[in-house]
């Protein structure tokens, strides 16, 4: 599942995000969602989240 719809993402979800510094390479970072930072119900580049380890990026894949 892609991470473009806010309703598909909840705190505690296991996701893969792309960090700002990795946007050119597309490298993904795996983690657990702590906070959802995007307020709109849809974002074409992915919903922005903060992981439990503090990293912030846009969701590319929802693992679970």
């Amino acid at each position: 599942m892609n991470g473009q719809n806010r309703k598909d993402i909840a705190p505690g979800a296991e996701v893969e995000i792309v960090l700002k510094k990795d946007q050119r390479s597309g490298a993904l970072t795996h983690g657990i969602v702590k906070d959802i930072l995007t307020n709109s119900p849809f974002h074409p580049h992915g919903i922005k989240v903060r992981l439990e380890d503090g990293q912030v990026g846009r969701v590319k894949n929802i693992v679970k």
Side-chain angles (χ1 to χ4, degrees):
M1 209 178 339
N2 68 26
Q4 295 180 330
N5 293 306
R6 194 174 192 275
K7 66 178 174 52
D8 296 337
I9 302 166
E14 191 176 345
V15 296
E16 291 178 324
I17 66 169
V18 64
L19 302 172
K20 185 76 171 175
K21 68 182 179 75
D22 294 331
Q23 283 179 341
R24 282 182 173 265
S25 67
L28 297 177
T29 303
H30 189 92
I32 306 294
V33 175
K34 180 179 180 184
D35 301 309
I36 300 173
L37 304 177
T38 300
N39 289 323
S40 65
F42 175 83
H43 194 285
H45 299 129
I47 299 297
K48 189 178 281 188
V49 298
R50 179 180 295 116
L51 300 181
E52 288 183 343
D53 63 5
Q55 297 184 92
V56 174
R58 294 197 180 272
V59 176
K60 291 299 171 192
N61 298 309
I62 301 169
V63 180
K64 290 184 181 178

